Amino acid sequence: MTSAQQPVPARPTSRDVARAAGVSQATVSLVLGGKWPGRVSEVTAQRVREAAAELGYRPNLAARSLRLGRTRTALLVVPALTNEFFARVYAGAAALAAEHDFGVVLYPSPDGTGPARDPFASARAALDGVIASSMAADALDALHGADLPLVMLDSDPSGTGPAAHVNLDIADGMRQVTDHLLGLGHRRFLHLASAVDTWTFAVRAEALHEALGAAGDATVRTVRAPLDVGAGREAAEQALAVAGERPTAIVCDDDILAAGACKAARRLGLRVPDELSVTGFDDLALATALEPELTTVRLPAEQVGERGMEALLAVLDGRPAEQGGLPVQLVVRGSTAPPPAARA
């Protein structure tokens, strides 16, 4: 018999693992399914894992999914595929999902913030749950109507439809920006706000206005623009060209708009940060591609994805999801400095 005719070794089964570990098949199922705590000792669980590793045993996920009525697939809905933040959210969710033998399908909402159509003939038949980032909950009605558990990321926590929420401390991020600029001596502000109507941008605006209002002697004017460098440049350029006292600092809702603000300053002959400070939000790769590099708020996007997947797994297992917002951090770089009057 030639080597090509050698019989293929039989795939090891859970019965083989049970025999090697000296336990029952039920114990093997509990341990390898992650359901052993409180039912099986750590010593026994370790023995089962070692036996499975030595035999090269892998659970038959297809059969297991049929028994559980699960597909072991989650859908991540995002407003856009072109934004680096959402790519990092996906990376975090997919990495954690892989540890639990889950897959994550990435789906951009066709209209940015919604409504998102069911990408399958029947979401209920194809998915175990949905995770949605930076969208309004009612934008997911088509999917949520399929009676799937829904986890919302960076979205209004007051919504009662989703099974869980995972949020960043967005308001604190904007307060950090404001405290930094006020500390430098700025009192005349322009808020270059996103034209996208979602919870996360509403929170940024509210936190900014509250912080500046508390300062007493600060003024702020708001202009809105789509999340696009060109649109941000045009809106900032028009605002800076208005007669009257020019703002000394532009607070932008994200780094993309901040890049537009920096381009507007250059077109008007204003030096950043000597004559105009600019701040962003997100800490995208773009923030360090600009010159000077951008002062911005770093958002832990990968951790948002991880926590979202953790929350969905908890909901599917009937456990409470972890509560509490994720902290954000101001990163001070070269685009901010005291206003000219404070340096005189």
Side-chain angles (χ1 to χ4, degrees), residues 47-332:
R47 193 163 72 245
V48 169
R49 288 192 290 264
E50 289 174 354
E54 289 174 4
L55 292 171
Y57 172 74
R58 287 184 173 276
N60 186 333
L61 295 178
R64 183 182 179 199
S65 295
L66 287 173
R67 289 197 307 274
L68 296 176
R70 289 186 180 176
T71 65
R72 306 193 72 76
T73 303
L75 184 72
L76 174 61
V77 185
V78 299
L81 290 179
T82 54
N83 190 304
E84 176 191 331
F85 175 81
F86 300 117
R88 290 163 50 199
V89 169
Y90 170 77
L96 184 74
E99 295 177 11
H100 296 269
D101 297 315
F102 256 74
V104 177
V105 177
L106 183 61
Y107 180 61
S109 171
D111 302 307
T113 57
R117 297 187 291 271
D118 183 345
F120 305 100
S122 172
R124 172 73 270 177
L127 303 168
D128 284 337
V130 178
I131 305 170
S133 181
S134 309
M135 301 178 70
D138 57 10
L140 281 299
D141 283 347
L143 297 172
H144 193 45
D147 196 31
L148 289 166
L150 171 63
V151 175
M152 297 295 293
L153 314 179
D154 191 29
S155 302
D156 188 351
S158 65
T160 57
H165 293 86
V166 175
N167 275 328
L168 297 148
D169 198 343
I170 294 295
D172 183 61
M174 190 56 86
R175 284 191 292 267
Q176 291 181 51
V177 169
T178 310
D179 288 347
H180 169 65
L181 292 171
L182 288 171
L184 290 173
H186 292 278
R187 291 299 182 271
R188 298 194 305 276
F189 294 85
L190 175 68
H191 179 205
L192 185 51
S194 166
V196 178
D197 183 19
T198 58
W199 173 84
T200 187
F201 292 123
V203 169
R204 295 171 207 209
E206 182 179 358
L208 174 65
H209 283 265
E210 283 184 0
L212 294 181
D217 58 346
T219 61
V220 59
R221 184 157 53 96
T222 299
V223 294
R224 299 187 180 279
L227 291 176
D228 174 80
V229 173
R233 178 200 56 75
E234 184 176 347
E237 193 170 345
Q238 290 176 357
L240 291 170
V242 172
E245 283 194 308
R246 179 178 286 149
T248 62
I250 302 182
V251 178
C252 303
D253 269 354
D254 82 343
D255 295 346
I256 296 171
L257 292 177
C262 290
K263 288 175 72 72
R266 283 196 300 274
R267 288 196 174 202
L268 294 170
L270 298 172
R271 298 188 308 277
V272 175
D274 297 335
E275 296 172 286
L276 182 70
S277 287
V278 179
T279 65
F281 217 99
D282 287 354
D283 198 24
L284 306 177
L286 176 64
T288 53
L290 295 172
E291 186 59 46
E293 294 185 355
L294 187 65
T295 293
T296 186
V297 176
R298 179 173 295 159
L299 306 183
E302 290 87 352
Q303 194 176 353
V304 172
E306 291 172 5
R307 280 276 294 271
M309 192 66 212
E310 284 175 353
L312 180 58
L313 292 171
V315 170
L316 292 173
D317 288 343
R319 296 180 285 109
E322 184 178 350
Q323 301 297 312
L326 292 168
V328 302
Q329 176 187 4
L330 177 69
V331 181
V332 178

